[in-house]
Amino acid sequence: MSQRPIRILAALLGLCPALATAHFQTLIPSHDLLQADTPRQVQLDMRFTHPMQGGPAMDMGQPVRFGVLGPDGNRDLRDALTPYQITGQTAYRADYRVTRPGDHLFYLQPAPYWEPAEGKMIEHFTKVVMDAFAGEPGWDRLVGFPVEIEPLTRPYGLWTGNLFQGVVRRDGEPVPFAQVEIEWLNDGSFTPPADAYVTQVIKADANGTFSYALPRAGWWGFAALLEGPEKLRNPAGKAVPVEQGALIWVRARDMQ
């Protein structure tokens, strides 16, 4: 057998891991809804990982911003952050006690992450909305991130099969035809039949609006990935491109 087919096969096999390597910053609360019988203490888990594949986790630096927009206004929660290790990489947790009814929008700006395989820095501006005691409103508020998803569908109380819609924004303005990647936070109960099923990929329309029907119960992450307007320096001091991700997490439940 000639060496040329072997080299081609090896190259193709080398590409396989790259087919499903979507990075997602998670921000998952222990409760998506608080009711009368729900503990008021909420724990939020933050990992930089590949959700559908169940890992691996990437090392997180000290977050730049972490807080909540709630009934009491905007609160900085960085002092509540506690680092912990997962497969030898740093992740974070934080505890928060709910004191008033209403929507609580938790948000996170992690430290930029250097991805040598892609030759770029990654910043994922992430948020999740938790409702406490059916208080509403506030679920469609914007944090004011450079890139952000504005939910058009209330991002909690969702049934499996509901259509989730949002608008991708940069500096407050809609981003036409933005690409949005979607992954399910795998709890170990499902194995994708092929790499193409790991990350769903859709495009927003001319107004920056996207839609996706949630096919399974659990947490779903939506990541609109945009090129940053300015370069950042990698650990070696070289100016490199930046991927800015606008992320939002929502949870769907089966109707039983």
Side-chain angles (χ1 to χ4, degrees):
M1 184 176 180
S2 72
Q3 293 300 306
R4 186 170 181 272
I6 293 177
R7 288 196 298 269
I8 293 173
L9 178 60
L12 291 173
L13 290 174
L15 287 174
C16 288
L19 295 176
T21 56
H23 302 72
F24 277 67
Q25 175 64 58
T26 69
L27 178 56
I28 307 298
S30 52
H31 310 292
D32 58 324
L33 298 169
L34 293 190
Q35 303 179 81
D37 58 349
T38 310
R40 295 196 175 197
Q41 193 79 5
V42 177
Q43 185 173 88
L44 296 111
D45 186 78
M46 291 151 267
R47 307 179 188 182
F48 193 44
T49 187
H50 303 150
M52 175 64 92
Q53 296 167 299
M58 284 76 75
D59 195 59
M60 286 182 63
Q62 181 72 25
V64 177
R65 295 173 65 188
F66 174 59
V68 60
L69 282 172
D72 295 321
N74 192 353
R75 290 186 57 189
D76 186 337
L77 300 179
R78 283 176 295 176
D79 288 345
L81 288 167
T82 301
Y84 74 99
Q85 296 291 302
I86 176 170
T87 61
Q89 305 297 326
T90 300
Y92 286 86
R93 293 192 182 105
D95 292 323
Y96 179 81
R97 182 169 180 79
V98 177
T99 59
R100 292 181 58 186
D103 286 339
H104 292 67
L105 191 166
F106 295 97
Y107 60 88
L108 171 69
Q109 179 184 349
Y113 175 82
W114 167 237
E115 179 48 82
E118 301 179 31
K120 61 187 178 185
M121 303 294 286
I122 298 176
E123 293 180 302
H124 281 185
F125 301 89
T126 308
K127 63 184 183 181
V128 65
V129 181
M130 180 198 71
D131 177 65
F133 314 114
E136 297 194 42
W139 55 264
D140 56 352
R141 282 182 295 184
L142 296 177
V143 176
F145 283 145
V147 294
E148 191 166 357
I149 290 175
E150 176 189 1
L152 298 182
T153 306
R154 191 181 65 183
Y156 56 81
L158 297 170
W159 294 117
T160 305
N162 277 171
L163 188 71
F164 180 75
Q165 291 186 304
V167 178
V168 180
R169 295 188 178 275
R170 185 204 293 274
D171 297 327
E173 297 299 321
V175 181
F177 310 114
Q179 179 170 295
V180 181
E181 295 186 352
I182 305 160
E183 287 203 16
W184 181 66
L185 185 59
N186 202 331
D187 59 4
S189 64
F190 178 74
T191 301
D195 285 338
Y197 292 91
V198 172
T199 306
Q200 303 288 291
V201 181
I202 59 178
K203 289 180 71 174
D205 65 15
N207 298 311
T209 300
F210 66 88
S211 305
Y212 185 77
L214 303 168
R216 188 179 177 93
W219 285 100
W220 289 88
F222 293 81
L225 305 179
L226 305 171
E227 184 177 350
E230 299 178 357
K231 292 184 176 182
L232 291 178
R233 296 196 177 275
N234 67 9
K238 180 181 178 181
V240 296
V242 179
E243 172 188 286
Q244 290 187 325
L247 275 78
I248 188 170
W249 286 90
V250 303
R251 184 183 184 185
R253 293 176 184 263
D254 289 332
M255 184 180 289
Q256 297 179 351

